[in-house]
Amino acid sequence: MIGFRSDHKAGNKCNGNSNGVPDRIGRLVNGRELRKSSRAPLLNESPDSNNSSNVVTEYFEHDLRLREDNNSVASYVEQRAAAAWGPSEGCQTEDGRPFRQRLLVVANRLPVSAIRKGEDSWSLEISAGGLVTALLGVKEFEARWIGWAGVNVPDEIGQKALTKALAEKRCIPVFLDEEIVHQYYNGYCNNILWPLFHYLGLPQEDRLATTRSFQSQFEAYQKANQMFADVVNKHYEEGDVVWCHDYHLMFLPQCLKNYNPKMKVGWFLHTPFPSSEIHRTLPSRSELLHAVLAADLVGFHTYDYARHFVSACTRILGLEGTPEGVENQGKMTRIAAFPIGIDSERFIRALDLPQVKDHIKELQERFKGRKVMLGVDRLDMIKGIPQKILAFEKFLEENRDWHDKVVLLQIAVPTRTDVPEYQKLTSQVHEIVGRINGRFGSLTTVPIHHLDRSLDFHALCALYAVTDVALVTSLRDGMNLVSYEFVACQDKKKGVLILSEFAGAAQSLGAGAILVNPWNITEVAAAIAKALKMPSMEREKRHKHNFDHVKTHTAQEWAETFVSELNDTVVEAQLRTKQVPPRLPTNTAVEHYLQSNNRLLILGFNGTLTEPVERKGDQYKEMELTVHPELKQPLAELCGDPKTTVVVLSGSGRTVLDENFKGYDIWLAAENGMFLKPSKGEWMTTMPEQLNMEWVDSVKHVFEYFTERTPRSYFEEREASLVWNYRHADVEFGRLQARDMLQHLWTGPISNASVEVVQGSRSVEVRAANVTKGAAIDRILGEIVHSKPMKTPIDYVLCIGHFLTKDEDIYAFFEPEPSSIGVGPPRGKVTEGVKFHVERISQLKIPAGKNGAKSSQNKGQRPVSNSEKKTTNHVCRAPRRPAAEKISWNVLDLKKENYFSCAVGRTQTNARYTLGSSDEVVAFLKELADASPRSFV
């Protein structure tokens, strides 16, 4: 990737935008155009086309020379926002060379095969696999490969020698012993993950030993991923991009982020990702999803796979899926589709090589007068080879005039020959081929030529070139690049591609191919007939569509796009982080707490003081709100401090708070402050007497109806509000039901009622208008002042909660404001402190009953004038209207450095600070309790 000069500023040559940072799409589009223009001069070059090994070696050596001349990684990293504009023309290192970002490609296997020649001698052979091919032409990045060399090297001498030999090929080995390889690679990867991701299901457990074996394989999988992470971290330099590949390394992003949270990490899956209903059968489903979500960018071949992954995260983990990706505790992991391609020019150029032309001529002579159909597959269960051959048999049955006019060439590359299931598949294919050849063949010709081995690159290109119809009948395939290779070699022949709709390539080449369901033998047979009889004009149109796509959507473009998006994703995260309040400075908060004389602690309940419960299907356990078990002792100590007043302000009902906080010297405010219970006192209502609650019954009927229609949803009937909760229901169905409910509520039961609808992440609450925690806090504060002997004003306030957005007005209640009297500070700046003038209010009456909304409207409550209603239902800084009996004094003398507002588990908040979870809240309250003097205990 082209880099940036160290003098990167707005408006300089590397910026390209003097007006500010462009948006994400703008940055990516600009970066794409710049990459295309930087590649244009290379089109006239004539690279070596002898074979893939030479190409790879030349690429490695050329890249290494550039790296040796380039020492500007550090200067590049200093420009953190540089990636926001993509690679810019003219950005160079000090010696005039284009800057290239380091790319650490981490895969299970290195792109080399190592053969030991002696104690300290190794022979290396480049393996031109799909990933190697994809990165061959990428010149914008300086690649390093990290992976297992495929051999067991137990001795230190051998490891050092192999490491040195691989370094010349820009490769770094991860040494895995035989037991780890057996359990991790052969076991968990190939025996569990690969079948599951291809919809073959998990292996059957017939004895307890099998279950233990699965567990040991999972542990080995985790250990192997950690070993990869150790090697990556050892060679990582600040500013590097780490690109993890495939299902073998799903734990790697999490391991890397544990080392360095700022590391740029992308993860790409080369197989399908199954639907959430399939993935949820995996015992380690949640652990794998969480580990992958640690990456900054997660890529898949198709939109379907990306959609399945997001669905799994929302349905299994209960996280929020967005159009951009998945959000987890304020961190956004971008999820996107990046269809891989091939190096199409390599195939096109190969057709002009003498040896390929000779092969083409031989094949044309060999199959003169016959249409050639071709299948190139690994001999694997997912490739649909038996279905392909049976469909060809049906075609021959139904088209006798084609018996001597068509031949099927099936190349089946053997794989995992030591596995019984694959041995059985091989025998099955051989049996079908023999039967069909015996049935439709003759002494001189047979309809099927089956070859159990791979072909070299030149022979394969020649075979593609003479083919009339290519058959790709995968039962499930991540992408299948055979279809791309066939199209690239067909510019003269313009053959027809029959493509399985279950291959990822169908998303890209579907418009020009004939799509089939490989399980429908009749349909595939009909497609063969259609392809063989297709008019030349239609063949040309179909081929042009696919050929244009293959030429433009290359492997190089795939790699560059992924890394460009990864860089931009990190920039987006940095921009979001700047808008996120910092973490609560616990040491400072404790220090100021000890220096103060009269403290007020306002604590939320649900999500703040409750025990965190993971979603594991135990809905009853998750619905039960209980105080965190480690909070009881520190909370008791804080409540017992005569200098400290603790208030729990919650949306929950009185019964829930009573059950959890009985025995504490604590103030309780239920239903967002509508009910108040002083320490060692009884519940009282703060609701205005004339509050209209006639809407309750009609809304309750609506909630009951949607609860019946939405499995695993429930509603809570509180005394001043109703809450419908669907967090345990199917996520997508719950959202649809919530949308229908809101539409019905606004047009019916509450259309003229003085109520407000508050939407949570997975809940709908209907409450009386102007009922918020912020609106209630002044009433609560007044009661605290006059119920508790107070010699000095409150000079320290701590407000912590996991509040809904509507209730975050509580954070602003104690926030110092600019002076409105006389000449004050400039607008936007705060004064040194804030003082509240609070007067005595009449003692609120205890309601007659605790159940039902009507009990809160009894006649024992003091009448409230309209002006008082307005005051008590809104956040205000002005003194209350003088009452019949009053005591005037300044009860709040709060300096800005002594006010700590903190949101729990939220990053988009009005609070000054944040904490990640209730565990962190408990840890902080423990610090407060431990630091407090114990003389009062």
Side-chain angles (χ1 to χ4, degrees), residues 131-155:
L131 185 57
V132 182
T133 304
L135 296 173
L136 280 179
V138 180
K139 302 299 183 184
E140 281 76 7
F141 313 111
E142 178 196 335
R144 290 281 194 278
W145 294 76
I146 298 176
W148 177 49
V151 292
N152 180 36
V153 190
D155 60 295

Side-chain angles (χ1 to χ4, degrees), residues 418-436:
D418 57 334
V419 179
E421 289 82 359
Y422 285 77
Q423 295 171 352
K424 183 179 179 180
L425 175 64
T426 302
S427 300
Q428 179 189 10
V429 171
H430 289 173
E431 180 183 344
I432 297 174
V433 169
R435 175 171 54 78
I436 295 174

Side-chain angles (χ1 to χ4, degrees), residues 127-341:
S127 304
L131 185 57
V132 182
T133 304
L135 296 173
L136 280 179
V138 180
K139 302 299 183 184
E140 281 76 7
F141 313 111
E142 178 196 335
R144 290 281 194 278
W145 294 76
I146 298 176
W148 177 49
V151 292
N152 180 36
V153 190
D155 60 295
E156 186 175 348
I157 295 177
Q159 291 184 3
K160 287 183 177 179
L162 181 56
T163 301
K164 183 178 179 181
L166 288 171
E168 298 177 1
K169 301 297 183 185
R170 309 286 310 288
C171 296
I172 302 166
V174 177
F175 293 106
L176 306 176
D177 59 50
E178 288 184 347
E179 180 61 22
I180 287 287
V181 171
H182 176 69
Q183 295 274 3
Y184 145 73
Y185 181 68
N186 297 326
Y188 199 77
C189 292
N190 289 341
N191 192 43
I192 296 179
L193 291 183
W194 189 89
L196 185 77
F197 284 9
H198 289 87
Y199 291 77
L200 299 179
L202 295 171
Q204 296 295 319
E205 302 181 38
D206 55 359
R207 56 179 63 88
L208 189 58
T210 308
T211 302
R212 295 194 187 102
S213 176
F214 288 172
Q215 183 60 34
S216 65
Q217 289 174 4
F218 178 62
E219 291 171 357
Y221 182 84
Q222 291 176 296
K223 182 178 179 180
N225 275 248
Q226 185 60 54
M227 294 170 72
F228 275 86
D230 294 342
V231 175
V232 173
N233 188 61
K234 180 180 178 181
H235 293 84
Y236 173 81
E237 298 177 7
E238 189 177 0
D240 288 353
V241 170
V242 183
W243 192 0
C244 312
H245 288 271
D246 232 358
Y247 58 93
H248 311 89
L249 301 175
M250 295 182 74
F251 263 99
L252 186 55
Q254 187 178 75
C255 296
L256 294 174
K257 289 291 187 175
N258 289 339
Y259 273 123
N260 184 354
K262 295 183 179 180
M263 192 180 293
K264 294 180 183 179
V265 179
W267 182 80
F268 190 88
L269 184 66
H270 293 266
T271 70
F273 191 89
S275 70
S276 59
E277 292 304 307
I278 298 294
H279 184 76
R280 72 186 311 137
T281 63
L282 187 64
S284 54
R285 60 194 185 183
S286 298
E287 293 92 329
L288 290 174
L289 291 175
H290 276 302
V292 171
L293 286 174
D296 299 295
L297 175 63
V298 176
F300 300 90
H301 282 308
T302 71
Y303 171 74
D304 284 346
Y305 306 156
R307 178 171 53 86
H308 289 164
F309 181 81
V310 173
S311 177
C313 292
T314 56
R315 294 172 185 268
I316 297 173
L317 301 181
L319 302 178
E320 288 297 320
T322 72
E324 295 296 314
V326 176
E327 186 171 358
N328 183 14
Q329 295 184 344
K331 177 187 179 298
M332 172 63 72
T333 300
R334 177 157 163 70
I335 315 296
F338 302 90
I340 196 173

Side-chain angles (χ1 to χ4, degrees), residues 66 146 249 300-301 305 378 381 388 410 420 440 502 575 596 612 775 795 814 835 855 935:
L66 287 178
I146 298 176
L249 301 175
F300 300 90
H301 282 308
Y305 306 156
R378 280 185 297 106
M381 269 86 71
K388 179 191 305 183
Q410 178 60 54
F440 298 102
F502 299 115
L575 295 175
S596 57
D795 58 354
F814 295 99
K835 296 185 179 183
S855 64
S935 58

Side-chain angles (χ1 to χ4, degrees), residues 49 144 251 253 298 326 367 370 385 636 834 866 902:
S49 304
R144 290 281 194 278
F251 263 99
V298 176
V326 176
F367 300 111
R370 304 173 73 181
I385 296 176
V834 60
N866 290 334
C902 179

Side-chain angles (χ1 to χ4, degrees), residues 696-879:
V696 170
D697 288 338
S698 57
V699 172
K700 180 180 176 182
H701 293 321
V702 174
F703 277 18
E704 287 174 341
Y705 172 75
F706 278 93
T707 299
E708 293 174 358
R709 290 184 59 202
T710 312
R712 301 190 72 186
S713 68
Y714 63 95
F715 80 93
E716 300 174 62
E717 184 178 0
R718 299 171 182 171
E719 296 174 77
S721 63
L722 293 172
V723 182
W724 182 68
N725 196 306
Y726 60 93
R727 64 190 175 118
H728 302 285
D730 180 90
V731 177
E732 296 178 7
F733 184 60
R735 286 174 182 159
L736 290 174
Q737 294 292 77
R739 185 188 64 185
D740 290 347
M741 172 190 284
L742 291 170
Q743 290 176 346
H744 178 71
L745 287 173
W746 285 120
T747 57
I750 63 172
S751 57
N752 297 315
S754 180
V755 299
E756 291 179 327
V757 178
V758 182
Q759 275 192 276
S761 59
R762 294 180 190 175
S763 65
V764 176
E765 178 180 1
V766 179
R767 62 168 77 155
N770 301 320
V771 175
T772 67
K773 292 179 172 63
I777 195 63
D778 61 340
R779 303 193 299 269
I780 296 171
L781 185 61
E783 283 303 308
I784 291 174
V785 168
H786 299 294
S787 298
K788 182 177 181 179
M790 194 174 293
K791 298 179 181 179
T792 59
I794 297 171
D795 58 354
Y796 179 95
V797 174
L798 171 69
C799 183
I800 301 181
H802 178 77
F803 300 135
L804 296 173
T805 302
K806 182 174 180 59
D807 291 323
E808 285 206 341
D809 56 353
I810 190 174
Y811 297 136
F813 184 86
F814 295 99
E815 199 70 61
E817 292 185 346
S819 174
S820 58
I821 302 176
V823 180
R827 183 174 181 83
K829 295 185 179 181
V830 299
T831 59
E832 283 299 312
V834 60
K835 296 185 179 183
F836 280 79
H837 183 73
V838 179
E839 65 274 343
R840 176 72 174 170
I841 62 174
S842 298
Q843 178 66 40
L844 297 175
K845 305 291 185 177
I846 302 172
K850 291 188 179 181
N851 297 319
K854 293 182 179 180
S855 64
S856 62
Q857 305 175 49
N858 63 77
K859 61 183 180 181
Q861 188 169 0
R862 175 178 65 87
V864 182
S865 67
N866 290 334
S867 60
E868 285 182 282
K869 289 180 188 177
K870 184 176 181 180
T871 301
T872 57
N873 282 285
H874 292 81
V875 180
C876 76
R877 300 289 181 269

